[in-house]
Amino acid sequence: QDALGDRRVAQDARRAAGFEGSALVCDGGSIVVPNDPQLSEVKALTLECRVRTDVAGQDDKWMLNRVFGGSPSSGFRLGLLQGRPCFEVPLTDWSHHLTAADPLPTGRWVHLAATFDGKTMRLYVDGIELANGYHELLDADVLRRRNAEANRQRVADGKYALPEDSRLLAAM
């Protein structure tokens, strides 16, 4: 058994002194949320943990991970990419991904949190929102329809239609 008493939950982790009481030290591992059908289709969730690292620039390190046991189009995870806090809720293959612009502070405990309400993702460090994203804006068809409606209204108001941003739509 591991530090939590269950091999299915903590991988490559051990207990040590923490922020309050003991902490789980993830030596390249993470807390793996077990494969459960109730957790496969994410409609809304909040994840939070206290995190401390003394190593800058860590990449592909996940504190909480529900993507391991499933496909890349279900689950969630919270961790670090290129040293920066990252939150993923893939609804399709590796979609719905937020990464903060700034790296996670080193040498001190920080409160890392992420929320998803079915449409909006938010990523916080020490209560400050560092990144957000909106589900519908990842869909090129939705953006194309919104642009068309906005242009119809512009023309109705006697204004010229704006050009469609084909580079943005192609990137989606």
Side-chain angles (χ1 to χ4, degrees):
Q1 290 186 334
D2 64 18
L4 294 180
D6 187 344
R7 289 199 180 279
R8 297 172 300 145
V9 176
Q11 292 185 344
D12 300 323
R14 60 183 167 78
R15 288 278 182 192
F19 181 75
E20 286 184 13
S22 65
L24 190 64
V25 178
C26 297
D27 295 321
S30 65
I31 298 299
V32 178
V33 180
N35 194 3
D36 184 312
Q38 293 179 349
L39 298 173
S40 292
E41 188 177 337
V42 176
K43 291 185 171 58
L45 78 143
T46 298
L47 303 173
E48 66 175 319
C49 55
R50 294 267 181 197
V51 179
R52 179 189 171 119
T53 184
D54 294 321
V55 180
Q58 294 184 67
D59 192 39
D60 200 21
K61 302 295 182 190
W62 304 100
M63 291 84 169
L64 300 169
N65 196 340
R66 170 59 186 90
V67 177
F68 274 144
S71 74
S73 62
S74 68
F76 51 85
R77 61 188 185 176
L78 180 63
L80 298 173
L81 284 178
Q82 298 175 343
R84 300 176 297 159
C86 179
F87 176 43
E88 295 180 344
V89 183
L91 301 180
T92 60
D93 284 0
W94 300 115
S95 68
H96 300 76
H97 169 98
L98 283 178
T99 303
D102 294 325
L104 187 74
T106 57
R108 69 178 180 88
W109 287 97
V110 298
H111 182 245
L112 182 60
T115 64
F116 178 61
D117 66 6
K119 290 187 178 186
T120 305
M121 297 173 66
R122 297 181 191 281
L123 182 61
Y124 301 87
V125 170
D126 289 335
I128 298 170
E129 185 175 322
L130 298 182
N132 64 56
Y134 301 91
H135 169 69
E136 67 271 13
L137 295 181
L138 296 175
D139 186 330
D141 292 333
V142 170
L143 183 57
R144 191 174 284 112
R145 285 192 303 271
R146 285 183 177 184
N147 288 345
E149 178 58 34
N151 274 334
R152 279 192 289 278
Q153 187 61 51
R154 288 180 63 82
V155 170
D157 291 342
K159 300 177 183 173
Y160 62 90
L162 297 173
E164 185 177 88
D165 187 344
S166 59
R167 290 181 300 161
L168 174 60
L169 291 169
M172 295 176 129

